[in-house]
Amino acid sequence: MAPGSGFFATVRRFMSDYLAALSAQGPMGELLARARRDPKLRRRLVESPEQVLAEAGVSLPAGLRVEVVENSEKVIHIVLPPLAAE
Amino acid sequence: MRANPLLRAVMRACTESDFRAHLLRDPREALALEGLLVPEGVEVVIHEASDDRLVVVLPDLEMERRMAEHHAPPDGPVADVPPALRLEWRGYTLVASGRIDTESAPFVRRELQRPSIDVDFDLAGVTFIGSAGLAALLAAQKRLAETENVIRLVRVPQPIINVLELAGYADVFEITHDESLEYLAAACRL
């Protein structure tokens, strides 16, 4: 499929914004930039997310569970921010 | 104003509880309402950000590898640009600050046409864009469109959006405001 067309191009452009938003938070940005094309780092992130984040200097609130998921051509994950207060 | 349909759906799900419920119940159907057709055989999984759970999504590794073949220019400042404008490459994003005027517009056009894939043009630091700059954007867009790629304008300051709207260009480019990025950042809760 041509990189520019259709659904996957839309997802790619959305992911660009999503990663930019996540990356505004310092060490997380550097970690994600490395994880983009590094399969070993990805595996570690999926298996032990809190540990990998801590090692990268990302500070997390106590008690926060982290789950890392990967998009593929079969599955697309979308995270919804909270519903805005009325 | 054209926005990324997926981003639009996410933002709608943050302001309309009915749409949010629909998206959670049947993502394919709800996304179709925003004009986004999910191909057969592709599953869309919706996660809700919460106070005790952070979900981080990594892009498709295979897609990342394929994109690497569409070389982005090397990272760093662009050297020969007139002093009123600074241009810098960061991955597939061209970051501009200063004035896009008659003198600097040709350099914008040249740089935007370099990659053979989508380019994000970060305008957060742009203080002025005149008719030469608008024409340069349009010309670069036309060239990229030959390979079905687009220029997305990101972090566009309101005064520049006003110029785009007045010039009738607001619907020509996919534009991302800072506010929509804040919505996304709310999903990260760091």
Side-chain angles (χ1 to χ4, degrees), chain A residues 1-22 24-25 28 32 35-39 41-42 45-46 53 58-61 63-86, chain B residues 4-7 10 13-17 20 23-24 36-39 41-49 51-61 63-68 70 92 117-118 120 148-150 152 154 174 176 181 183-190:
Chain A
M1 166 169 291
S5 53
F7 173 75
F8 289 103
T10 299
V11 171
R12 179 162 47 78
R13 291 160 195 160
F14 171 81
M15 284 301 293
S16 193
D17 288 340
Y18 166 76
L19 290 171
L22 266 182
Q25 338 254 356
M28 178 67 113
L32 290 178
R36 279 183 94 143
R37 288 186 205 136
D38 182 342
L41 180 55
R42 281 180 174 236
L45 262 171
V46 169
L53 260 57
V58 178
S59 62
L60 298 171
L64 182 71
R65 283 155 36 231
V66 182
E67 195 183 326
V68 178
V69 293
E70 294 182 84
N71 282 350
S72 71
E73 62 177 11
K74 293 283 172 215
V75 186
I76 301 294
H77 296 270
I78 299 166
V79 182
L80 290 186
L83 193 62
E86 252 114 44
Chain B
N4 180 290
L6 191 45
L7 182 55
V10 168
C14 295
T15 52
E16 290 177 35
S17 53
R20 189 185 188 91
L23 188 60
L24 286 163
L36 186 58
L37 297 179
V38 180
V42 177
E43 187 191 351
V44 176
V45 179
I46 311 287
H47 304 265
E48 287 193 273
D51 280 332
D52 59 359
R53 185 168 154 257
L54 170 66
V55 179
V56 175
V57 183
L58 295 176
D60 182 343
L61 182 62
M63 173 88 77
E64 290 289 304
R65 286 186 171 142
R66 263 181 277 139
M67 275 178 63
H70 296 259
Y92 295 97
I117 197 146
D118 291 350
D120 283 352
E148 291 187 309
N149 293 300
V150 300
R152 301 191 324 135
V154 299
E174 188 175 295
T176 304
L181 284 195
Y183 267 109
L184 288 181
C188 311
R189 316 191 118 257
L190 287 175

Side-chain angles (χ1 to χ4, degrees), chain B residues 136-152:
Chain B
L137 281 182
L138 211 54
Q141 172 82 299
K142 277 182 82 170
R143 168 66 70 87
L144 279 169
E146 288 166 14
T147 44
E148 291 187 309
N149 293 300
V150 300
I151 297 171
R152 301 191 324 135

